[in-house]
Amino acid sequence: PEVNPTIRSLATALLLSFATITAAQSAGISLPMGNLARNLFQLARHAGHDGQYTSCMTDFWAKANGLPPPRL
């Protein structure tokens, strides 16, 4: 089945955020907070959240702290 382009773009947001920060660093741009964000994105990617939207970071940190993911 064909995937809705909006859903596809949301699913790649974590990877794109990671790639954007990496590209800036490669260009010599100093991003102290970007370094932290990149490392946190990388942790989430290695924990199985690659290809998910950046809101997966909430689930990642909840699980890392032994808590269920928050749901409204």
Side-chain angles (χ1 to χ4, degrees), residues 1-38:
E2 188 171 326
V3 177
N4 179 313
T6 302
I7 299 301
R8 183 181 301 128
S9 67
L10 291 176
T12 60
L14 184 62
L15 177 61
L16 291 176
S17 298
F18 175 81
T20 301
I21 294 168
T22 301
Q25 290 172 330
S26 296
I29 298 170
S30 176
L31 298 170
M33 293 306 292
N35 292 338
L36 174 61
R38 181 184 179 278

Side-chain angles (χ1 to χ4, degrees), residues 45-64:
R45 290 178 65 207
H46 286 298
H49 293 282
D50 202 14
Q52 297 181 12
Y53 192 58
T54 53
S55 62
C56 75
M57 296 299 289
T58 304
D59 292 351
F60 169 73
W61 284 111
K63 184 177 179 180

